[in-house]
Amino acid sequence: MASGVKPRVKAPKSAAAGEVVTIKTLISHKMESGQRKDKEGNLIPRSIINRFTCDFNGQNVIDVELFPAISTNPYFEFEATIPEAGDMKFTWYDDDGSVYEDSKSIQVG
């Protein structure tokens, strides 16, 4: 895992069955495009989060492919319908092969 990379997720702890909720995610990552040069004029290698997914109880909710134009510390906000109690699994995929995960349980009541 690259140093300093840390995902954060804000999701409700509970929802009514069928309720649409807002999910917010942020991952601390430098998102180096591979197009900038260092002080010596050498290209800084590309290093980005290239994919983000969210699943609820094994069902895909969102699957996003990212490109070098995405800014540092990518932030996503999206809505999801909560049909039942369960777990949301969030996964970020890094160019270097690292995978960062977080999960949140949502109760229905």
Side-chain angles (χ1 to χ4, degrees):
M1 183 185 291
S3 65
V5 177
K6 183 170 75 171
R8 289 183 280 179
V9 175
K10 184 176 181 183
K13 291 181 175 24
S14 64
E19 182 178 351
V20 176
V21 299
T22 300
I23 310 295
K24 299 176 182 181
T25 73
L26 176 76
I27 187 163
S28 300
H29 193 281
K30 61 186 173 182
M31 298 294 284
E32 187 56 62
S33 70
Q35 299 173 9
R36 293 185 328 124
K37 295 182 179 181
D38 63 16
K39 293 177 189 174
E40 289 78 40
N42 302 310
L43 277 178
I44 300 170
R46 175 180 140 150
S47 174
I48 69 168
I49 296 293
N50 58 52
R51 185 175 174 212
F52 167 71
T53 63
C54 173
D55 297 329
F56 183 74
N57 287 346
Q59 289 275 109
N60 184 256
V61 175
I62 189 170
D63 190 337
V64 181
E65 186 177 0
L66 288 84
F67 296 93
I70 302 293
S71 68
T72 300
N73 305 327
Y75 170 82
F76 291 98
E77 180 175 327
F78 58 95
E79 293 182 337
T81 301
I82 306 302
E84 61 197 12
D87 297 317
M88 295 201 96
K89 179 181 175 190
F90 306 90
T91 310
W92 295 261
Y93 300 87
D94 198 316
D95 274 349
D96 70 6
S98 296
V99 176
Y100 312 100
E101 296 179 329
D102 197 356
S103 63
K104 297 290 180 187
S105 294
I106 300 178
Q107 301 301 316
V108 168

